[in-house]
Amino acid sequence: RRAELRAEILDVTAGTKIAYYKVIQAMRQIEVIEQALYRDEELVRASDALFEAGRVSKVDVYSAQISRSNNQGRLATARADLELVQNDLRKMVGLEVEVQVEVTDLTIPFEPLEIDLENWIERALASRPEMAVMRSRLEKPEMHVRIAENDTLPTLDVSGGFQPGFDWKSWNWNAGVGFEYAIGNVGAKSRLGRARARQARTGQDYVRPKREIELEVRAVEIRLREGIDRLKSLILQVENARSKGEIARGRFEMGLASNLDITDADAEQVRSESLLLAALVEYASNRAKMEASIGGPL
């Protein structure tokens, strides 16, 4: 029962961390879209001014307004997503629906891990509560097999003692040895066979969770390695999208390009920043999953 309680604690700890990170992601996502809306407002004003000056067409004005409308829709969705993940956090922590959840630290934790797969698997097999439960269950079938084996062995009885003589004045010493070997001891052998069958089934039951735990650790380790590679790529995408947007704004102000280049760059920036947020949260969540998988902190 203590092992099962530890398993529940590990699951709740990991689930709470993941729910908390999801709230942070939703709040940061709102910030990303609000910044995009601020750029949209500037683009709408600039397009209107340039249209009045005869330097751009009405299409540029419409493009800026469409970009603003799209981001307004994204903002509504992001705010709804925030409420949903806040509900998930309340459920995980055990709070009432009326309790307001406020996250004061919007930092998404990122600590790159040094991959040590073999050590993680060894720790998981040694520390996971499920394995402790299975090891305790293995002891009982082994004891039953030993008892059943003893029942199939020959029996040797030794007896001895003193008895008073017929005159009640002397003592006689008696000793005896009895040896018994049951030919074709069907009952004892049958019990031994059943005990060994139960032991074999329990051994198979032990192998199954052991294999599942190892596969679970390997799966999370793969996601952690993938997360690092994705983060490197997404950071570069964000930097390129921001640079592309700055260049497009400069060309638009000089009348060398339409604002379609700006709206495309802004859309790409919102997309890449959103993906970066999601990748950071996923990496932090996979770290929490790994801690639960190996039965302790990394």
Side-chain angles (χ1 to χ4, degrees), residues 136-203:
S136 67
R137 290 178 180 174
L138 281 175
E139 296 175 358
K140 185 180 294 186
E142 291 175 357
M143 181 182 64
H144 288 168
V145 169
R146 290 197 299 271
I147 293 173
E149 287 176 344
N150 289 337
D151 291 340
T152 63
L153 298 176
T155 302
L156 177 66
D157 293 327
V158 180
S159 62
F162 292 93
Q163 290 181 338
F166 291 104
D167 57 1
W168 293 93
K169 295 180 180 180
S170 61
W171 292 86
N172 298 321
W173 184 77
N174 296 323
V177 177
F179 179 78
E180 180 181 347
Y181 181 80
I183 299 175
N185 194 349
V186 178
K189 291 182 178 179
S190 177
R191 289 191 294 272
L192 176 59
R194 290 195 298 269
R196 286 175 173 170
R198 286 193 296 269
Q199 184 185 33
R201 286 196 299 270
T202 305

Side-chain angles (χ1 to χ4, degrees), residues 21-22 86 91 120 124 132 135 161 240 255 265 271:
Y21 298 152
K22 291 289 186 181
Q86 284 178 332
K91 180 179 178 181
W120 291 347
R135 283 192 291 269
N240 290 338
R271 189 187 73 85

Side-chain angles (χ1 to χ4, degrees), residues 125 128 130-131 134 202-216:
L125 296 178
R128 281 284 287 268
E130 302 96 308
M131 299 307 298
M134 292 305 303
T202 305
Q204 292 174 355
D205 293 339
Y206 179 81
V207 171
R208 188 180 302 112
K210 180 180 178 181
R211 183 172 61 250
E212 291 176 353
I213 287 174
E214 182 175 350
L215 291 174
E216 177 184 324

Side-chain angles (χ1 to χ4, degrees), residues 4 102 180:
E4 291 171 355
E102 294 184 3
E180 180 181 347

Side-chain angles (χ1 to χ4, degrees), residues 91-144:
K91 180 179 178 181
M92 181 59 65
V93 179
L95 299 175
E96 298 294 334
V97 178
E98 297 79 11
V99 177
Q100 183 65 29
V101 177
E102 294 184 3
V103 179
T104 57
D105 185 5
L106 298 183
T107 303
I108 301 175
F110 176 66
E111 300 178 16
L113 290 171
E114 182 178 351
I115 302 300
D116 192 359
L117 179 59
E118 297 303 323
N119 179 47
W120 291 347
I121 293 175
E122 183 178 348
R123 286 183 58 185
L125 296 178
S127 304
R128 281 284 287 268
E130 302 96 308
M131 299 307 298
V133 172
M134 292 305 303
R135 283 192 291 269
S136 67
R137 290 178 180 174
L138 281 175
E139 296 175 358
K140 185 180 294 186
E142 291 175 357
M143 181 182 64
H144 288 168

Side-chain angles (χ1 to χ4, degrees), residues 5 8 12 19 23 33 40-41 58 81 83 112 119-120 129 155 164 196 204-205 209 227 239 246 263 297:
L5 175 60
E8 291 293 334
V12 170
V23 172
I33 299 174
D40 287 337
E41 293 293 344
K58 193 66 174 178
D81 291 340
E83 293 185 28
N119 179 47
W120 291 347
T155 302
R196 286 175 173 170
Q204 292 174 355
D205 293 339
E239 293 175 351
E246 293 175 0
T263 56

